[in-house]
């Protein structure tokens, strides 16, 4: 895509929003001050340096270490615990094949996004929706991008509140050993949300490095505990517990629901451009080089944790794992029953810390968009108080959704199937639109094929999840967590 074409898209977006912003900044100024009124180009009058005022790009002092831990924290989450459930439905061979293909697919689209970040000379696409608009046009880009991007931001935070809150409840149950528990589920949601909102007050994405470091370490810690504990068993214990690896349900909806569990565990692509936006870049050292090193390092760790957890836990529990997934808390009950109180508490505590540390980085795109609205209307950067109020408000919204729709984890595949387009489909067509490879060339054919396959997969997962829900039903307890 030429710079002229990109400029047209920026102008179109400005006209569409009638002066209010969406996710794109109209100026990539290096000067933190508004453009001078003496400028002869009337198009520059009133410009504001959005990139320097918004939390995602406010600081570009990141490095390979900060990017690695951001990627690790956002890419290795509680969804990894769904993989053994997928294996229970797919079996050894197909489980390993689909997880391998899915991981390679995600890594390929990550490579595309990293190299699209600065695909147009002089412009950095530091927000996923901004790249979607530049690729597909203003109307289509917003139509295709807004829901999945916002779901992967606010929706992920709501599910973190549900999962983290219920894990706190379960931890208290283990600690009090059946006595009267001090907090209800709702109170646990409140505790988790308050802690998460406090942690979300860091000013920008780059300043979240410490939280990402803790969150990444905690994710590796509970993943390691989960796969290492079964290995301490007597090898004959599997047979004593009558563990079976037979696939009991080979229906379309059950198989594709399992594939959906693997797909939603391959997360994090919605934050690739944002994390890369925290890195410095120049002609000699473009951000893509640093970012790709961080991607390789983080994904080696992520791949190890995912494959080992899936294989070892399935080996240990087999058909005892519910093949439809469901709440993470039900899965962690296995460790409460089979291991010591100390081991169970360790897994739950590290799991809770990982959820808390993942919350701010997932909330950041929503915070960035809210601040963009304010900055464009007021023509000035957010004060500390205004920024804090935005974070508190968004935290309340996520809490309200979590309390009102605490059954969301049961809909993870159904809703997540739409958001999967962000990982498996959109990057391929973005590459074709911006890079414009020759028709029927290798890259053109590869991206059209992979992108089309991702769209078909999304449709099939929606159908399969809907059929499974129709068959087994959904206990939708509104505002009764």
């Amino acid at each position: 895509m030429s710079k002229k074409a990109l400029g047209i898209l920026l102008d179109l977006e400005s006209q569409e929003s009638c002066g209010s912003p969406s996710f794109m900044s109209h100026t990539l100024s290096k000067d933190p001050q508004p453009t001078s009124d003496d400028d002869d180009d009337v198009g520059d009058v009133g410009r504001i340096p959005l990139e320097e005022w918004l939390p995602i790009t406010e600081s570009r002092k990141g490095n390979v270490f900060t990017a690695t831990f951001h990627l690790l924290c956002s890419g290795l989450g509680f969804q990894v615990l769904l993989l053994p459930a997928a294996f229970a439905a797919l079996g050894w061979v197909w489980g390993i094949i689909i997880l391998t293909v899915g991981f390679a697919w995600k890594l390929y689209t990550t490579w595309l996004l990293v190299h699209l970040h600065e695909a147009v000379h002089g412009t950095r696409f530091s927000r996923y929706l901004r790249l979607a608009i530049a690729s597909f046009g203003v109307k289509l880009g917003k139509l295709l991008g807004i829901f999945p991007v916002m779901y992967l931001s606010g929706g992920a935070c709501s599910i973190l509140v549900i999962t983290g809150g219920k894990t706190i409840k379960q931890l208290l149950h283990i600690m009090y050993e059946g006595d009267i528990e001090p907090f209800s589920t709702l109170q646990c949601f409140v505790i988790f949300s308050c802690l998460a909102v406090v942690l979300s007050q860091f000013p920008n994405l780059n300043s979240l490095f410490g939280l990402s470091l803790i969150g990444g370490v905690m994710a590796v810690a509970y993943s390691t505990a989960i796969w290492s504990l079964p290995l301490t068993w007597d090898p004959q214990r599997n047979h004593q517990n009558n563990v079976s690896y037979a696939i009991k349900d080979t229906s379309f909806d059950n198989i594709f629901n399992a594939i959906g569990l693997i797909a939603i565990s391959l997360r994090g692509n919605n934050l690739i451009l944002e994390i890369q936006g925290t890195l410095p870049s120049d002609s000699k050292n473009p951000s893509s080089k640093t970012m790709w090193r961080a991607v390789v390092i983080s994904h080696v760790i992520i791949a190890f944790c995912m494959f080992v957890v899936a294989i070892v836990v399935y080996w240990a529990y087999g058909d005892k794992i519910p093949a439809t997934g469901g709440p993470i808390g039900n899965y962690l009950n296995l460790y409460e029953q089979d291991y010591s109180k100390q081991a169970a508490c360790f897994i739950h505590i590290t799991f809770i810390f990982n959820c808390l540390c993942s919350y701010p980085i997932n909330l950041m795109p929503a915070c960035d968009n809210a601040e963009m609205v304010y900055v464009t209307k007021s023509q000035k950067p957010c004060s500390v108080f205004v920024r804090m109020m935005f974070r508190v408000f968004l935290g309340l919204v996520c809490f309200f959704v979590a309390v009102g729709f605490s059954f969301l984890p049961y809909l993870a595949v159904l809703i997540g199937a739409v958001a999967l387009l962000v990982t498996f489909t959109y990057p391929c067509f973005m590459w074709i639109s911006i890079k414009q490879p020759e028709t029927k060339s290798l890259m053109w054919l590869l991206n059209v094929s992979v992108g089309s396959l991702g769209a078909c997969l999304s449709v099939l997962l929606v159908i399969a999840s809907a059929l499974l829900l129709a068959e087994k039903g959904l206990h939708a307890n509104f505002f009764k967590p």
Side-chain angles (χ1 to χ4, degrees):
M1 176 180 291
S2 65
K3 293 175 69 174
K4 179 179 180 181
L6 180 60
I8 293 173
L9 287 176
L10 296 176
D11 292 338
L12 282 173
E13 189 202 24
S14 180
Q15 294 169 12
E16 284 286 324
S17 58
C18 298
S20 65
S22 57
F23 293 85
M24 297 177 64
S25 62
H26 308 298
T27 303
L28 301 175
S29 170
K30 294 182 180 179
D31 184 357
Q33 300 298 325
T35 305
S36 170
D37 292 337
D38 296 333
D39 197 317
D40 294 334
D41 185 357
V42 294
D44 287 341
V45 175
R47 286 186 179 183
I48 55 176
L50 289 179
E51 294 285 345
E52 288 83 359
W53 289 354
L54 296 177
I56 287 178
T57 51
E58 186 177 63
S59 172
R60 295 193 188 272
K61 298 179 180 179
N63 53 52
V64 66
F65 299 107
T66 62
T68 296
F69 284 105
H70 284 322
L71 290 167
L72 187 60
C73 185
S74 62
L76 183 63
F78 61 87
Q79 291 89 344
V80 71
L81 301 185
L82 297 174
L83 293 176
F87 273 50
L90 297 171
W92 285 112
V93 176
W94 284 109
I96 293 174
I97 290 175
I98 293 173
L99 180 56
T100 302
V101 171
F103 192 86
W105 192 344
K106 176 188 182 296
L107 198 60
Y108 172 67
T109 55
T110 300
W111 180 87
L112 293 179
L113 289 173
V114 168
H115 289 85
L116 285 173
H117 181 81
E118 295 176 286
V120 178
H121 181 70
T123 302
R124 297 186 66 176
F125 297 104
S126 298
R127 294 161 185 84
Y128 195 99
L129 187 56
R130 178 180 179 183
L131 180 59
I133 291 173
S135 302
F136 306 132
V138 177
K139 293 183 178 179
L140 185 59
K142 290 180 179 179
L143 178 65
L144 295 177
I146 285 180
F147 172 76
V149 169
M150 284 296 96
Y151 169 75
L152 290 170
S153 180
C157 290
S158 295
I159 292 179
L160 283 169
V161 173
I162 297 169
T163 305
K166 290 187 175 181
T167 307
I168 292 175
K169 172 83 171 177
Q170 197 165 315
L171 174 64
L172 294 174
H173 174 76
I174 296 172
M175 294 174 64
Y176 283 83
E177 296 182 340
D179 296 337
I180 298 177
E181 297 171 8
F183 300 114
S184 66
T185 303
L186 178 59
Q187 290 172 325
C188 291
F189 279 23
V190 172
I191 292 171
F192 183 91
S193 295
C194 289
L195 292 173
V197 169
V198 170
L199 293 176
S200 300
Q201 298 304 322
F202 285 83
N204 53 63
L205 181 56
N206 191 51
S207 65
L208 292 176
F209 164 66
L211 287 182
S212 294
L213 172 62
I214 296 172
V217 171
M218 293 295 104
V220 173
Y222 73 70
S223 298
T224 303
I226 283 173
W227 66 257
S228 62
L229 284 174
L231 294 179
T232 64
W233 282 5
D234 182 345
Q236 298 299 320
R237 185 168 179 177
N238 283 44
H239 302 289
Q240 295 171 5
N241 289 340
N242 298 317
V243 173
S244 172
Y245 305 109
I247 301 175
K248 298 179 179 179
D249 187 354
T250 58
S251 61
F252 166 83
D253 53 346
N254 192 63
I255 294 299
F256 270 88
N257 185 74
I259 295 174
L261 294 178
I262 292 178
I264 63 177
S265 69
L266 301 170
R267 64 188 208 136
N269 273 24
N270 60 304
L271 293 170
I272 293 294
L273 296 173
E274 286 78 356
I275 293 171
Q276 192 169 347
T278 65
L279 301 175
S281 184
D282 54 50
S283 57
K284 294 182 179 180
N285 296 295
S287 62
S288 59
K289 291 184 178 180
T290 304
M291 186 64 179
W292 186 244
R293 286 198 296 269
V295 167
V296 171
I297 296 170
S298 61
H299 279 66
V300 167
I301 300 172
I302 292 171
F304 177 80
C305 291
M306 292 179 71
F307 278 88
V308 177
V309 165
I311 292 171
V312 174
V313 175
Y314 179 52
W315 167 80
Y317 290 102
D319 59 349
K320 291 188 175 183
I321 302 170
T324 54
I328 300 295
N330 292 345
Y331 174 80
L332 292 179
N333 276 332
L334 297 172
Y335 285 81
E336 176 188 348
Q337 297 165 4
D338 291 333
Y339 301 104
S340 67
K341 178 179 177 180
Q342 291 78 6
C345 286
F346 174 80
I347 292 174
H348 284 71
I349 290 172
T350 52
F351 185 84
I352 292 166
F353 270 95
N354 171 252
C355 290
L356 284 170
C357 294
S358 299
Y359 186 100
I361 192 171
N362 281 286
L363 190 66
M364 189 57 71
C367 297
D368 187 84
N369 185 52
E371 291 191 26
M372 185 176 284
V373 175
Y374 175 86
V375 165
T376 305
K377 295 291 186 183
S378 65
Q379 300 288 298
K380 62 180 181 181
C382 289
S383 65
V384 174
F385 177 76
V386 171
R387 177 169 281 178
M388 180 180 68
M389 288 298 100
F390 275 134
R391 311 286 171 89
V392 172
F393 172 76
L394 292 171
L396 288 173
V397 171
C398 294
F399 171 76
F400 177 82
V401 172
V403 172
F405 306 91
S406 57
F407 53 88
L408 276 178
Y410 290 100
L411 302 175
V413 175
L414 179 63
I415 303 176
V418 179
L420 288 181
L421 297 170
V422 169
T423 298
F424 296 118
T425 301
Y426 292 165
C428 301
F429 293 115
M430 289 172 176
W431 180 275
I432 293 174
S433 176
I434 292 181
K435 291 291 189 177
Q436 297 182 344
E438 184 179 349
T439 304
K440 296 184 179 180
S441 64
L442 178 60
M443 282 301 292
W444 187 89
L445 290 172
L446 177 62
N447 284 295
V448 168
S449 301
V450 172
S452 300
L453 184 61
C456 293
L457 176 63
S458 178
V459 173
L460 290 173
L461 292 180
V462 170
I463 295 172
S465 182
L467 290 174
L468 193 65
L469 287 173
E471 177 186 346
K472 299 190 175 181
L474 175 66
H475 298 288
N477 298 320
F478 295 96
F479 296 98
K480 293 181 180 180

